[in-house]
Amino acid sequence: MVLRTQPSPAAHSGTRAALTDLVSAVRQLEGLVRQVGPFALPSGTCDRKPEVVEAVCRELGIPLTFDGSHDDHALLTLAAGIQQAQRAPALAGLPPEEVAREARLIRDEEDAGLRVHCLERPDGAELRVVEAGPETAPCILLSSACGMSHRLTLPWLKSLGDSYRCVVLETRGTGEPVTDPADFDRYRSGVPEQAGDLLAVAEALDTGPCHLMGLCGGAVPALLAAAQRPSLVRSTSLWHADLELGPEAAKTDHQTNLRSLLDLAGESRDTAGWLRDKLASGPMTGVPPHVGPLVVRPYATTELFYRYARLTGATMRWDSRATAAKVTQPTLIVTSEDDHTAHPDGSRRLAQLVPDTRLVVTEHGTHLDAFRASPDQVGTLVSFLEEVA
């Protein structure tokens, strides 16, 4: 007699795909709860499958509750991915214990090969670093946009991890738990400190000369790090860079308005709280699907918004012209004609300032396309890296 093991209901392909979407949506809030602890989303988040969502949160150790305000549009945006995912018909009737078991397997498969490091800087800042790929391979060090989870760069880590050692740093003040808000005030949050963090990670992980990749505002500290320590940086690539280059480069309305907003929010936590409440009192337009919670995370609480204003405001104010002229490494610059977030003129002007530059301007592409790691993007980067190796 042959005994056949029946797969659990949650393991069936359609059900597993739906559960994978839910696990991904819940995990987009992982970094948020790591910083602020249990977090309340609106009750309507679980309008169809509360027991399924609760089983996933419990098994993954992500303490979400569902009794938050319906009038706070930041909370509604943070909840949108979970709300949509838990409405999938394939999740109906699943036993919570099966959901928990399958959610754990999905998480473990996603995290396979990822390594997490915590690095404490001399000024007290704690850095959270995630890496993937062979430790002996050439290293790509990613300088992402301020205040964003490493999950936003996972497409790059997964696309490059077979051939490169990929390391992504979460900006100081955005990875460690907020126990005493004043901790953030005890260390500096400017561009020199952010650039120093990148160099410290390269040294601590013994990466050797690395390929430094700057995404959006992360291009600013990446440029400074490359200029300061050319022995540690083999090349730079800058994707949809958000830079201050004086009157020679046009800015979008978004760049101008966001800088004014963050300058004001960075004045004090009281001001940041007032502005955050104003921003969250109406719909938050332009938030992309699938990564909305990652992008809106800095607006989740007053403390996170204040930190985001201090960190990102610093990169938006930093004049990169003198820095760019000192970058001697081969540099790839990528933007698109219709990036309405960071004006493509900034990348064009940067290509004139950096001595050894290759400029790629695609016809179409949103600002957040810098994080997609599409086959064309990966091919462009790998071709560049092979040429400069």
Side-chain angles (χ1 to χ4, degrees):
M1 182 175 64
V2 177
L3 296 178
R4 301 186 184 276
T5 301
Q6 295 296 320
S8 69
H12 292 142
S13 60
T15 302
R16 197 173 201 271
L19 193 51
T20 298
D21 288 342
L22 178 58
V23 168
S24 177
V26 170
R27 294 199 73 190
Q28 286 193 349
L29 299 178
E30 200 168 28
L32 171 62
V33 300
R34 184 186 306 112
Q35 275 211 283
V36 304
F39 192 81
L41 297 175
S43 57
T45 305
C46 304
D47 58 356
R48 304 285 176 81
K49 314 289 189 317
E51 69 288 347
V52 172
V53 177
E54 289 168 6
V56 171
C57 292
R58 183 173 60 254
E59 186 63 29
L60 302 187
I62 300 175
L64 297 173
T65 60
F66 303 97
D67 53 359
S69 170
H70 286 270
D71 298 324
D72 190 313
H73 285 261
L75 299 188
L76 291 171
T77 304
L78 289 167
I82 296 176
Q83 184 180 58
Q84 180 178 356
Q86 57 91 42
R87 289 176 173 174
L91 299 180
L94 290 180
E97 62 274 11
E98 294 287 353
V99 169
R101 185 180 304 116
E102 200 67 22
R104 183 170 63 252
L105 291 173
I106 292 168
R107 178 201 59 195
D108 292 346
E109 289 171 7
E110 183 180 78
D111 288 353
L114 295 182
R115 303 179 293 277
V116 180
H117 310 278
C118 294
L119 177 64
E120 185 170 346
R121 300 286 281 129
D123 62 1
E126 297 180 15
L127 307 181
R128 190 170 187 275
V129 183
V130 178
E131 70 166 321
E135 293 186 46
T136 57
C139 179
I140 300 173
L141 176 56
L142 289 86
S143 174
S144 190
C146 286
M148 300 298 160
S149 164
H150 77 276
R151 294 188 66 82
L152 198 59
T153 60
L154 277 180
W156 282 109
L157 270 64
K158 292 185 179 299
S159 297
L160 297 168
D162 288 340
S163 303
Y164 292 91
R165 181 185 186 185
C166 298
V167 179
V168 59
L169 164 67
E170 294 185 346
T171 319
R172 56 172 45 216
T174 65
E176 77 278 15
V178 177
T179 51
D180 179 0
D183 288 342
F184 180 74
D185 303 327
R186 296 188 183 105
Y187 54 78
R188 301 178 68 84
S189 53
V191 173
E193 289 74 31
Q194 295 180 43
D197 292 342
L198 290 168
L199 297 172
V201 167
E203 290 178 328
L205 297 186
D206 193 21
T207 65
C210 63
H211 300 287
L212 190 50
M213 185 177 182
L215 305 166
C216 308
V220 180
L223 273 174
L224 184 57
Q228 289 180 332
R229 295 286 299 278
S231 62
L232 270 182
V233 180
R234 177 70 185 87
S235 74
T236 60
S237 64
L238 308 171
W239 299 73
H240 293 254
D242 185 1
L243 303 163
E244 172 56 59
L245 296 170
E248 296 99 337
K251 293 182 176 62
T252 64
D253 289 343
H254 174 85
Q255 285 173 293
T256 301
N257 295 336
L258 181 61
R259 175 171 169 174
S260 297
L261 174 72
L262 297 183
D263 282 346
L264 187 58
E267 291 179 357
S268 70
R269 287 179 172 82
D270 287 343
T271 304
W274 178 80
L275 280 172
R276 186 214 165 275
D277 290 346
K278 291 292 184 183
L279 292 169
S281 65
M284 304 187 79
T285 59
V287 178
H290 307 303
V291 296
L294 299 178
V295 176
V296 175
R297 173 182 162 185
Y299 299 85
T301 71
T302 292
E303 180 63 24
L304 296 189
F305 184 48
Y306 173 72
R307 295 186 179 201
Y308 177 69
R310 298 288 297 177
L311 292 160
T312 303
T315 65
M316 298 190 81
R317 289 190 302 273
W318 182 267
D319 192 326
S320 291
R321 285 175 288 184
T323 304
K326 297 176 182 177
V327 174
T328 58
Q329 297 92 332
T331 299
L332 171 68
I333 299 175
V334 181
T335 188
S336 65
E337 293 283 2
D338 57 357
D339 185 344
H340 299 299
T341 302
H343 203 292
D345 278 1
S347 291
R348 293 192 183 97
R349 178 57 181 150
L350 182 65
Q352 296 171 346
L353 293 170
V354 177
D356 184 359
T357 301
R358 302 165 202 198
L359 175 65
V360 175
V361 183
T362 62
E363 184 176 359
H364 299 295
T366 68
H367 189 67
L368 281 170
D369 280 348
F371 297 92
R372 286 180 53 221
S374 69
D376 286 345
Q377 290 172 323
V378 172
T380 297
L381 178 61
V382 170
S383 295
F384 168 74
L385 295 181
E386 290 175 344
E387 289 177 16
V388 303

